[in-house]
Every structure is written in structure tokens, then in C-alpha cells.
Amino acid sequence: MINSNYGIIMIHLRKLGLAVLLLHLISCKISLAVLDNDCSGHGHFDEQSGVCICDDPFPVSAGSKGWVGETCEIPVFHGNDDEGADMTVDCQNSDSCNELKEDEWSCFAIPGNAKEDNDEKSWNHLAFFLNRTKGDGDADLYGYSKNATNPPNFAQATGFDWQDTQTIRSSAVVHTLARSDYPEDYLNQGYYLCVHNYPGTGSLEFSLKATKEVCRVSFSRYDGGAPLVCSSPRDASEEDKRYTECKPTTGDCICKPPYAKPVENVYPGLGFESCSAPVTMISKDDASDSKAYESNDEYVAPQEWRFWGFNTSAEDYEVIATVAEKQGRRGGGGGGGRVAPFARFGVPPGASPGQFDERTRSPPSSSSSSSFGQHEHRIVLDSTVPGTRSGLWFIGVFGLSSGGRFDLSLQKFSCPGNCSSNGVCDRESHKCTCEENYGGADCSNYIKEIPYNSTVEKNTSPIFEYEYFNMPEITETMLSGNVDVRITAFASSNLWNEHIAALPEILLSLDPGSPGAFPSADNFTQRMVLNLNKQHSLTLCSSQFVQGPWKVALHNPLSNIALNYTLTVEKIGRCLNDCSGKGECSDDGVCQCEDDWAGGDCSVEKSGGGGTGGTTVHHHRFRSFISSLFLMAIGAAATFGYVSYRGIPRWLPMNMNGYSGSGLGLYQELHEHEGI
């Protein structure tokens, strides 16, 4: 036992020794690799610390150049942030510091400036302007302090203090910093600005500017990137300035109308600190149920806001704000773009959760960031929805990564959607009376007729939430038990995928008391869910019918995704004994018998019968039939009998109480019934 344990221990020790030897060899190999590193020829290797010491890593004189990075592979040029001038001018001719191939870096060292109480050059805010001037590359902006404890990892583009990676969507990027967001003296010794051309996007050329001020400072994205103080040009006259002064401790601007805060308490970061968010107040006379307020060709810059304020009253059943993005290529001051509208009661809205009450109900469909097109957003304030109050409301339009131009309209209605101009509004009840072929609470639902045994097909369907159809009315005859109705549907979409849980559906309802009512996702009589690219059928028998007008709705739960579909409604007759193989079953469930056959199931053969006026009773069928009647109808008040009179088959009512059963009595009833 001892020998066995000893052997196991020796095996483990040998394995451990091999592992230690392997680690030693690996460490030697790594050390040799580092020792062989010449720091790209721009520095020397420090054996004690095991890192490269780069030449002049923070050049402080104009035209000078240094190096940074793990192997001193990143060039660093002298830069400045005093006047907002292009810092590449001094080095672009000699070192091409403004040109980058894919995955290349170019850095600039910005000397520090300590903040003193009486120093005229003290500052609260920094702004940077990176502009792609040539090429298709994606220039990303990074920055970090000279005093950073751990230098960034340039190979992985990590470890920086700030970054902005938006130039793939817009050629110009403006990035701002507040000194208060960083520890005291963190930036006093200077900082680095670095530009990286993202791999796989092509080469580029760029310009780079920086400036600092006591007040909120920025750059115009256009007009060559002119520096802005409180969103006003530095050389603006007092009349043209958007502000009266700024707070020296924080740099927040005291803005003039329409850039001033519309209410005392607003969410931070909306632009009221920098006078970049104008507010337009809409009067009661400018927006009503008879007049829409319109503001056309508005522009909002990326990450900035535009606001409109208005008051609502108890008379306003509904308020609809529409924001239509302008057509054109997104990005740039004159093209199209992408925006997002929000609404908030009492204060201007923000885009963060809890900062808005309503947002767009029609988000843009998926598309390329460079595509052409126009997207329309709608915000609906419905007085019947809990939380929708009367009083001061604000609509805010936020510029997404590329900003954009848009048209805005706002209108108040006494009825839903002002009855969509397809009906008459009763202002007291706030209800619409719709015109023919229109329905829904706001008369916006155009009703399509879909006859039996017909198909409606849409292969280039626009986006929609509901499509509505009128089925032929369910008649009393169809309730006899001989008729089924089958609905067959097929849906497809190029943008839908298996990970989306919501699916389109067919909805049916009957509401003869409300001709304008339609089935909806939460109010229906019958429902059929449609898995995409599969055909589905729903068959209703007479026991599921109610006489009257039935409506069909195709519900698209993702109304921003286009949906193609086909829809067929069939009326299917069910005949007794399948017409005994001697006739055709109609869609009303009635046998259409061949010439020589008769009866409800075409099982009765007609007599040849010769001569005129001759009448033949099929005695063998008649006797059997009468016997069956007596067995099934004892105590019944009435039933029917079958005869052939002059070659014409007939079913006649027969009083079974006191009927003699003689052929003469049957003929007498025939004469009386026919009036012959």
C-alpha cells in the first residue's frame, strides 16, 4: 500500500516538474521577445520595468513629434486647445499627420492649463471637433489624461477616458467635456487626443480642433466647425447671442428666449444649459380641430433637441403630433436624417426611461443608414387613456446619430382623428358617424369586400397594423346545418424571423349593432394565428354562426414591418349522403340532382310514366316511407310525403292524425295543395 502511494506521489512530482520547466521556457521566450524589441526605433526598452520608454511622448513645442504605445508605434504631434484652430496644420505637410490608412492612429498632445481663481484662461468646459475631410474611412476620436495611471491599449482601443465613434454616420463629430466630471487637477498637466481609422472602411483625411471656455462651449458641425459659446458664435453681437451670461462656477449659460428653460425644473442634458434647445409655444388659436399648426423644414443636430409646448383642455378629445422626416440622404446639414419624437406633461421630455409619457407609435422600418426615404412618426395624446391630463404638454424632437430635417404638425380633435375626414364628428359625445365603406372609432378603416370563393392577395403590401374585410352576410338558410365557411390565409415577410414571438393573426367578429366596429387583438369572436410561410385554415360550422354581417381583420402586430398575404373565404355545402352520387352539392348545401333522380339526397329514381296527366306513385318506396313516418312521428303534428305527379316529384304536407293511408286521399291532398 505504501509503495503504491509512493509511486503515485512520484508521478505527480514529475508532472509538476515538467509544468514548472515549461513555464520557465515560456517566460524565457517572452523575455527574449521583449529584449529583441527595439521599441519601433522610437525609444528604448527598460529592463527593470519591462516596457518601452518612448522618445518625447508628450511634445510641447509647435512642430515637434513624439511617440506613444506599447512599442512606441503611435506618432504624437503637438496640439493646442486655445482658439479652436485646426491642430493638423503644422504637421500635415511634413508628417501627413492628418492622413490615416485603415487601422492607423495619429495622436496630439495638448498642454495643460491649471485653473486659478483669478486666471483669465481658467475653464470649465472643453469641446472637440473631428471632421472627415476626405475619403470613406471611419475616424473615431479618443482621449486620455497625461496623468493617466494606466496608459490605454491602442491595439484593442480600450482604456481611454473618453471616445466618440459616430463619424461613420456623419462626417463631423462634436464631443464636449465638463471639467467637473473629472478629479481635480486630472487634466491640468495636459491630455492626449487620438484619431483612429477603423479597419475595413478605407483611408481618410481629417481636421481636428479643440477649445476650452469658462462657459459651455461647442463647435458648429457645419460652417467649417466654428467655435460656439453657449451655442452662439464667439464673435456674435450682443443682440445675436443666445445668452446673457454664464455662471462662472459651472459654466451653465443663462439663455434668452426661445432657448431659456420654459419651466423652472427641467431634466439635465437637454440643452438648456448650453442654449442649444429652442422652445416654441403653440397658442390655442394656432392648433384646433379646424386648424393644424405646422412648422416645416426644421433641423435638429445629432444628440440635440427641439421643443414645442401647448395647452390642452377637457374639450380636446385627442391631440395628434406628426413628425415627417425629410427625404434625402441622411446626415449633413441639407440632407435627410433620423429623429425621434417624445411627449411629456408639464416639462420638456427626455429620451431616458421615466422622462417621457408618450413616444412615436410608428417607428421607422429597418433600413440602411444611407438609404433614401421618408419616415413619419405620430404621437397621439388620447384623453381616454389613463394618465393623459389636461394642461401644459411638450413635444420634443431628438436628433439621432446623424440628426436630420423634418416637418412637424400638431392638431387637436373633438373626435378620434377628426374622423379621418371620412365621417362627421359629434362634439358632445366625441363620436364619429362614418361614411359608407369606412369604419372604426376614427373612420380610418377602409372596408374591403371579400365575396365567397374569392381571394385577396397583396405581394407588395405597405406597412399596416390592420386590414379589414366584409364577409357576405350569414343568412338564415346557412344556419340549417348544411353549410360551412372556411377561411384560408398565408402570410410572409422578408424581415420577420423565427426569434420574433409576435405573429400575424386572422380575427373574426359579429357586431350587427355597431356597423363601424371591427375585430381587434383584444376583441374578437374567432381567431387564427398565422405562422409565416405556412398556409392555415379555419373552418366554421353552422353551430358557430350567428345571423348577420361578419367582419374579418388581418392583424399585423409589428406594424413597422411590411407583410405580404393571401386571404380566401369559401362557402362549402354539406349535402345528405353526398347526393348519393347522383348529383352535385351546391355551396348552400342543396343537392342539384341529375335528370333521372330526385329527393333531398338524389336517391329517388323518377318514373318513366307514359301518357299525359298520368300519375305514378312508387308504391314500394311509398310503403316504406309511410312505415318510417309512423315509427318516427307518433304524436307529431305534421310531416311530409313524396309522390310523382305527372312525372314531377313533389313533397307534400300530410296530416298524420286521421290520415287513412289510401292512395286516393294522397291524390286529393295533392290536388288541394296545388289548387288543381
Side-chain angles (χ1 to χ4, degrees), residues 343-358:
R344 183 70 164 171
F345 179 80
V347 296
S352 300
Q355 294 183 348
F356 58 86
D357 293 312
E358 290 285 346

Side-chain angles (χ1 to χ4, degrees), residues 122-324:
S122 65
W123 57 277
N124 291 313
H125 296 276
L126 266 172
F128 312 116
F129 178 76
L130 173 62
N131 188 30
R132 184 180 60 218
T133 58
K134 186 177 180 180
D136 298 322
D138 176 11
D140 298 332
L141 180 65
Y142 298 84
Y144 65 103
S145 169
K146 180 184 178 183
N147 291 337
T149 304
N150 297 312
N153 186 324
F154 287 91
Q156 298 181 8
T158 58
F160 294 90
D161 293 330
W162 63 86
Q163 67 185 61
D164 200 313
T165 59
Q166 299 295 322
T167 52
I168 190 66
R169 300 178 179 89
S170 176
S171 61
V173 166
V174 177
H175 191 81
T176 60
L177 294 179
R179 191 170 188 166
S180 59
D181 292 339
Y182 295 88
E184 188 67 24
D185 296 332
Y186 187 67
L187 300 175
N188 286 349
Q189 300 303 315
Y191 59 92
Y192 292 93
L193 282 181
C194 297
V195 180
H196 176 228
N197 186 16
Y198 195 79
T201 58
S203 60
L204 61 85
E205 296 181 13
F206 67 92
S207 63
L208 182 63
K209 300 180 180 182
T211 189
K212 57 181 181 286
E213 287 281 350
V214 173
C215 302
R216 298 263 179 176
V217 65
S218 184
F219 284 93
S220 170
R221 296 176 184 272
Y222 314 103
D223 305 324
L228 303 175
V229 179
C230 295
S231 302
S232 306
R234 269 184 172 151
D235 57 356
S237 64
E238 290 298 321
E239 182 180 357
D240 292 335
K241 287 182 178 178
R242 296 184 179 185
Y243 66 104
T244 56
E245 59 177 322
C246 70
K247 298 178 182 179
T249 55
T250 64
D252 289 348
C253 306
I254 309 301
C255 305
K256 302 176 183 178
Y259 304 97
K261 296 186 295 185
V263 293
E264 182 60 28
N265 296 316
V266 297
Y267 299 116
L270 300 183
F272 296 113
E273 306 92 342
S274 59
C275 307
S276 63
V279 180
T280 301
M281 298 304 298
I282 302 173
S283 69
K284 183 177 180 180
D285 294 335
D286 289 335
S288 64
D289 57 359
S290 60
K291 179 182 179 182
Y293 169 84
E294 294 184 353
S295 184
N296 297 323
D297 204 28
E298 296 287 351
Y299 174 73
V300 61
Q303 308 302 305
E304 293 187 2
W305 287 89
R306 294 291 311 273
F307 294 103
W308 284 262
F310 56 94
N311 282 282
T312 64
S313 67
E315 298 177 357
D316 300 319
Y317 176 86
E318 191 174 60
V319 178
I320 298 179
T322 303
V323 176

Side-chain angles (χ1 to χ4, degrees), residues 227-491:
L228 303 175
V229 179
C230 295
S231 302
S232 306
R234 269 184 172 151
D235 57 356
S237 64
E238 290 298 321
E239 182 180 357
D240 292 335
K241 287 182 178 178
R242 296 184 179 185
Y243 66 104
T244 56
E245 59 177 322
C246 70
K247 298 178 182 179
T249 55
T250 64
D252 289 348
C253 306
I254 309 301
C255 305
K256 302 176 183 178
Y259 304 97
K261 296 186 295 185
V263 293
E264 182 60 28
N265 296 316
V266 297
Y267 299 116
L270 300 183
F272 296 113
E273 306 92 342
S274 59
C275 307
S276 63
V279 180
T280 301
M281 298 304 298
I282 302 173
S283 69
K284 183 177 180 180
D285 294 335
D286 289 335
S288 64
D289 57 359
S290 60
K291 179 182 179 182
Y293 169 84
E294 294 184 353
S295 184
N296 297 323
D297 204 28
E298 296 287 351
Y299 174 73
V300 61
Q303 308 302 305
E304 293 187 2
W305 287 89
R306 294 291 311 273
F307 294 103
W308 284 262
F310 56 94
N311 282 282
T312 64
S313 67
E315 298 177 357
D316 300 319
Y317 176 86
E318 191 174 60
V319 178
I320 298 179
T322 303
V323 176
E325 296 175 359
K326 301 287 284 186
Q327 291 182 346
R329 188 172 296 278
R330 300 174 189 151
R338 295 304 298 272
V339 301
F342 299 84
R344 183 70 164 171
F345 179 80
V347 296
S352 300
Q355 294 183 348
F356 58 86
D357 293 312
E358 290 285 346
R359 64 181 304 172
T360 178
R361 292 191 180 183
S362 301
S365 59
S366 302
S367 56
S368 167
S369 60
S370 62
S371 65
F372 287 81
Q374 180 171 356
H375 299 285
E376 185 174 285
H377 310 260
R378 295 180 75 215
I379 287 182
V380 179
L381 304 181
D382 187 341
S383 62
T384 64
V385 175
T388 303
R389 295 161 284 180
S390 298
L392 180 61
W393 282 83
F394 289 91
I395 296 290
V397 179
F398 180 63
L400 300 178
S401 57
S402 60
R405 296 193 176 276
F406 60 93
D407 296 336
L408 178 138
S409 66
L410 184 139
Q411 192 164 9
K412 303 175 182 179
F413 300 119
S414 298
C415 284
N418 199 28
C419 303
S420 306
S421 300
N422 299 320
V424 178
C425 175
D426 184 335
R427 297 190 178 186
E428 292 185 3
S429 65
H430 300 299
K431 292 183 178 180
C432 296
T433 301
C434 302
E435 297 175 356
E436 187 177 0
N437 295 327
Y438 289 93
D442 60 354
C443 301
S444 64
N445 302 332
Y446 179 72
I447 309 168
K448 306 174 185 67
E449 301 293 332
I450 180 167
Y452 286 131
N453 306 320
S454 65
T455 298
V456 176
E457 183 174 5
K458 279 195 174 181
N459 290 324
T460 57
S461 176
I463 59 175
F464 66 90
E465 183 176 8
Y466 286 96
E467 294 263 278
Y468 296 100
F469 306 89
N470 268 342
M471 283 174 52
E473 186 168 346
I474 301 297
T475 63
E476 185 177 1
T477 303
M478 296 174 64
L479 304 179
S480 64
N482 296 339
V483 177
D484 293 345
V485 172
R486 182 168 61 201
I487 298 174
T488 304
F490 178 90

Side-chain angles (χ1 to χ4, degrees), residues 77-91:
F77 306 93
H78 173 73
N80 68 82
D81 58 10
D82 288 335
E83 302 297 333
D86 182 7
M87 62 185 74
T88 69
V89 171
D90 293 335
C91 58

